[in-house]
Amino acid sequence: MQARENIRNIAIIAHVDHGKTTLVDKLLQQSGTFRDHEVVHERAMDSNDLERERGITILAKNTAINYKNYLINIVDTPGHADFGGEVERIMKMVDGVLLVVDAFEGCMPQTKFVLRKALEHNLTPIVVLNKIDRPNANPEAVVDEVLDLFIELGANDHQLEFPVVYASALMGTSSRNVEKQDDNMEALYETVVEHIPHPTENVEEPLQFLVTLLDYNEYMGRIAIGRVNRGVIRQGQPVAVMTREGAIKQARIEKLFGFQGLKRIEVEEAAAGDIVAIAGIKDINIGETIADPSKPEALPVLEIDEPTLQMT
Ligand code: GDP
């Protein structure tokens, strides 16, 4: 099991087209999380046809990157205000955010919307000024604008000390220095490792897990994604599922997955602070708590205000 100190859980937030997808692709490619023969699809996170069609990312996607001894879980957020409830839920799964802002275009409505949610959840922010390669980019002015937005949104002192990474996701370069770009994403990985706190939940207590996102697979049925809030979760483990209405059902963890690159990988067990996917619990729903049957305590109910996904 990964040492808790070496885990970073972050969400990536941005206005549409500011470069989230391109950035995550580059982070994946350069981290070597992929094996040599694996090819990163043209747009790794934008794999859903409907998303392509609409040109926006509408479903959250989980990615995990290995960097040195660290495991960096990255949760993508929907780039559309209709999915505010989902953004809200994702904020509860992570300890920090990468706020990606186009160094030419500056702050846009969705920048403000997602940043507000991140600040409200007391997350540690890193600002990524992307598209620094654009000839008309104006990084200094945009950093000032971002700072004004932080102040306007009531950021706390810690959040106001946000580090800035200047990047070109397109070229795969980044730097903490506005004057010159390094030929890789190192500055961004290092900033994540240094600034984002690691998980600190209690591994010793009985299991508690909040179903935060749902996925569906025709072989495995519903897949519950979330962060282990406390304790340890194991394949085969009997659990109690607490519904939003207060009922308690008995179930079993048939299969447990962690993330690696864009894939899910089967794992025997995971612990508080890990982001995992659970298969085998029929009819599982967002907002339900999966817990140790000896201590079935529900976590606070989540707001769900987006259209319910069609689950067959
Ligand atoms: P998303 O909507 O935030 O996921 O944005 P995408 O990653 O899809 O990028 C939107 C557009 O901006 C695409 O045409 C990208 O090629 C382009 N883009 C992304 N990053 C950069 C960058 O660093 N520099 C430049 N010049 N273009 C970029």
Side-chain angles (χ1 to χ4, degrees):
M1 203 186 287
Q2 189 89 30
R4 304 297 93 183
E5 292 73 24
N6 290 353
I7 297 175
R8 299 293 181 275
N9 292 327
I10 57 175
I12 182 159
I13 59 177
H15 188 79
V16 65
D17 272 351
H18 283 197
K20 270 188 320 165
T21 311
T22 312
L23 187 72
V24 173
D25 282 356
K26 277 297 180 325
L27 287 172
L28 277 166
Q29 279 173 354
Q30 290 190 14
S31 68
T33 305
F34 287 103
R35 293 198 208 96
D36 288 345
H37 62 269
E38 280 182 301
V39 183
V40 185
H41 295 295
E42 189 193 338
R43 308 189 69 196
M45 286 181 119
D46 244 355
S47 56
N48 184 289
D49 282 350
L50 184 62
E51 290 174 44
R52 284 237 177 90
E53 215 171 90
R54 295 178 61 180
I56 54 169
T57 307
I58 58 164
L59 293 174
K61 302 280 191 322
N62 291 77
T63 314
I65 287 172
N66 297 112
Y67 172 72
K68 294 182 177 167
N69 292 329
Y70 296 91
L71 176 70
I72 306 173
N73 283 304
I74 303 179
V75 191
D76 189 22
T77 54
H80 197 278
D82 287 355
F83 295 88
E86 187 168 319
V87 174
E88 186 94 43
R89 298 201 306 272
I90 291 169
M91 297 298 121
K92 297 189 182 178
M93 252 164 74
V94 298
D95 301 302
V97 292
L98 294 186
L99 175 69
V100 180
V101 185
D102 186 319
F104 167 70
E105 213 172 50
C107 297
M108 299 295 281
Q110 184 75 358
T111 313
K112 183 170 177 177
F113 176 79
V114 284
L115 179 62
R116 172 180 282 129
K117 302 239 175 201
L119 297 176
E120 281 170 2
H121 285 84
N122 217 9
L123 299 176
T124 300
I126 293 173
V127 173
V128 180
L129 274 217
N130 190 36
K131 309 199 186 185
I132 201 83
D133 60 288
R134 288 179 69 167
N136 39 12
N138 193 353
E140 274 108 350
V142 173
V143 169
D144 286 348
E145 201 183 297
V146 171
L147 179 59
D148 288 344
L149 188 60
F150 269 72
I151 294 166
E152 181 193 331
L153 295 175
N156 64 35
D157 289 350
H158 170 65
Q159 291 168 330
L160 282 174
E161 282 165 19
F162 59 84
V164 179
V165 178
Y166 303 90
S168 167
L170 195 65
M171 319 292 265
T173 64
S174 73
S175 173
R176 292 293 301 276
N177 178 347
V178 67
E179 303 292 334
K180 75 170 221 332
Q181 286 285 288
D182 296 330
D183 219 6
N184 57 47
M185 284 289 164
E186 181 105 7
L188 185 47
Y189 297 122
E190 287 293 334
T191 307
V192 168
V193 164
E194 266 173 47
H195 286 265
I196 306 293
H198 62 77
T200 54
E201 295 100 322
N202 195 330
V203 179
E204 307 296 326
E205 286 178 30
L207 169 68
Q208 212 181 21
F209 172 96
L210 185 64
V211 180
T212 309
L213 301 167
L214 267 192
D215 199 356
Y216 180 81
N217 173 300
E218 63 179 296
Y219 302 105
M220 293 185 287
R222 291 188 180 192
I223 298 167
I225 298 169
R227 171 175 176 145
V228 182
N229 282 71
R230 68 179 195 206
V232 174
I233 187 166
R234 292 189 179 86
Q235 286 214 24
Q237 180 178 359
V239 290
V241 177
M242 273 143 290
T243 68
R244 293 162 61 86
E245 292 75 35
I248 301 185
K249 301 185 285 189
Q250 303 304 316
R252 211 174 82 96
I253 307 297
E254 299 286 346
K255 286 215 180 292
L256 184 66
F257 301 91
F259 296 90
Q260 185 172 47
L262 294 163
K263 290 190 193 142
R264 296 192 181 120
I265 47 161
E266 219 173 307
V267 293
E268 284 293 313
E269 63 174 19
D274 280 322
I275 293 178
V276 291
I278 299 168
I281 305 182
K282 260 178 85 182
D283 304 328
I284 192 81
N285 271 308
I286 287 172
E288 296 184 335
T289 300
I290 296 175
D292 189 312
S294 72
K295 205 173 182 191
E297 293 171 344
L299 286 154
V301 175
L302 297 162
E303 288 287 322
I304 305 178
D305 63 5
E306 77 254 31
T308 312
L309 295 175
Q310 286 291 310
M311 294 285 163
T312 40

